[in-house]
Amino acid sequence: MIRVRRGNIARKSRKKVLGLAKGYVGSHSRLFRIANQQVSRALRYSYTGRKDRKRWFRRLWITRINIASRNIGLSYSRLIFKLKNDNIGLNRKMLAHLAVLDPQIWSKLGEPLVTPDNWFERREQEILKNRAKA
């Protein structure tokens, strides 16, 4: 059998890995075997990091909405429930944006929701009356 020389292909793949490892300290950026391990680990962490970032931002938005909704006299869960019932299609990112940057619009957004003639409020009062009778 003839020996296959893979010089160009092997060099290209090694250079690609070493290029991705630029900026790593010491042999992590110079030696192929160690750099290869570090690059694969970095790519793994970057994948999970993108998922974690989405989670983190959702938590941040919920916290901001919760604080702003309590300022208008509602808890977070009741606010979201009432927004869904009134078919207000703002997502949590936009709600948090409004709550932080435009408090006047936020208070107007909450005004029709605070009225006691909502179904949720009436149902809650019925349950309390029934408990008082029993």
Side-chain angles (χ1 to χ4, degrees):
M1 292 288 298
I2 300 172
R3 186 171 76 92
V4 177
R5 295 169 55 195
R6 297 183 62 241
N8 291 342
I9 296 167
R11 191 179 317 113
K12 189 187 265 189
S13 72
R14 283 194 300 268
K15 280 188 78 164
K16 183 173 74 173
V17 169
L18 288 172
L20 288 171
K22 259 191 179 170
Y24 295 178
V25 177
S27 60
H28 290 218
S29 66
R30 291 183 188 91
L31 302 179
F32 171 72
R33 206 181 272 180
I34 297 171
N36 199 18
Q37 292 172 356
Q38 290 302 310
V39 165
S40 68
R41 176 176 290 169
L43 292 173
R44 224 176 16 247
Y45 280 132
S46 68
Y47 176 80
T48 57
R50 288 191 295 273
K51 310 301 174 200
D52 290 343
R53 186 175 55 217
K54 291 172 181 63
R55 265 180 249 152
W56 190 85
F57 270 106
R58 185 179 167 94
R59 283 180 61 190
L60 177 68
W61 297 330
I62 289 173
T63 304
R64 287 179 174 174
I65 294 168
N66 189 16
I67 291 168
S69 65
R70 287 184 189 277
N71 287 340
I72 60 172
L74 285 170
S75 67
Y76 168 80
S77 59
R78 285 191 182 173
L79 177 76
I80 294 297
F81 176 79
K82 291 177 180 188
L83 287 173
K84 287 194 182 205
N85 278 354
D86 293 347
N87 292 325
I88 298 174
L90 291 173
N91 61 13
R92 284 164 179 79
K93 181 180 179 179
M94 291 298 112
L95 286 170
H97 192 75
L98 283 174
V100 171
L101 295 179
D102 208 342
Q104 293 174 336
I105 291 180
W106 178 259
S107 60
K108 287 182 182 177
L109 183 69
E111 278 175 7
L113 304 175
V114 180
T115 57
D117 60 355
N118 269 327
W119 173 85
F120 189 81
E121 299 290 333
R122 281 184 281 145
R123 180 72 180 131
E124 198 170 68
Q125 289 170 359
E126 288 174 18
I127 291 171
L128 290 174
K129 285 179 188 174
N130 291 337
R131 284 185 184 163
K133 288 178 184 176

